[in-house]
Amino acid sequence: MQQLFAGLVAPVTAPLMRGLLGFDPAPAAAALPLPALVLAGGKDVQIDPDLDAHLLERAIRDAGHEVTFHLSPSADHVLKHQPLTIAEIRADLAGAAAAYNAADRVLDPDAVTAIVAWLADHTRP
């Protein structure tokens, strides 16, 4: 909560953060006439993959566009591999967020495989 408030009032990030608060990605994504990959992390504690990611998927599908949904069970919010349990992550949310860009963190292998497979399926001549 502290980070959110700091982002809202910091002069450098305030305009972006305030704009994001009212932004609904579902209609924006549904308006794009392109195939989409909705990729969610099973260990994401910032959004609910079952609720939020599926809402995005449904909006795109309801707009008549092709959409692929993939849940990477061990990926976090930034799609990096997360060995901790959800309970361990929630016990230290600030620590989890601070570790997003740690040098030793890598993209989740399942997420990478899903991205590569989706790209291969959608970029063939």
Side-chain angles (χ1 to χ4, degrees):
M1 188 64 163
Q2 234 175 356
Q3 286 178 321
L4 176 62
F5 182 74
L8 288 172
V9 298
V12 104
T13 57
L16 173 65
M17 290 296 292
R18 289 183 188 137
L20 287 175
L21 283 176
F23 179 72
D24 183 356
L32 298 172
L34 305 165
L37 170 63
V38 176
L39 184 60
K43 294 185 178 179
D44 189 338
V45 293
Q46 289 187 244
I47 66 152
D48 184 319
D50 291 326
L51 296 175
D52 301 319
H54 280 297
L55 284 175
L56 187 59
E57 174 196 21
R58 192 168 28 260
I60 296 167
R61 183 168 283 116
D62 289 350
H65 304 300
E66 179 187 345
V67 61
T68 302
F69 177 84
H70 183 83
L71 178 68
S72 290
S74 296
D76 64 12
H77 185 70
V78 294
L79 301 176
K80 292 191 178 174
H81 181 73
Q82 178 53 268
L84 300 176
T85 66
I86 289 284
E88 290 170 326
I89 299 165
R90 287 190 175 131
D92 183 16
L93 292 175
Y100 281 165
N101 293 319
D104 63 336
R105 300 285 313 282
V106 297
L107 288 174
D108 185 73
D110 180 74
V112 171
T113 298
I115 293 166
V116 169
W118 188 87
L119 287 170
D121 287 345
H122 291 84
T123 58
R124 291 191 182 128

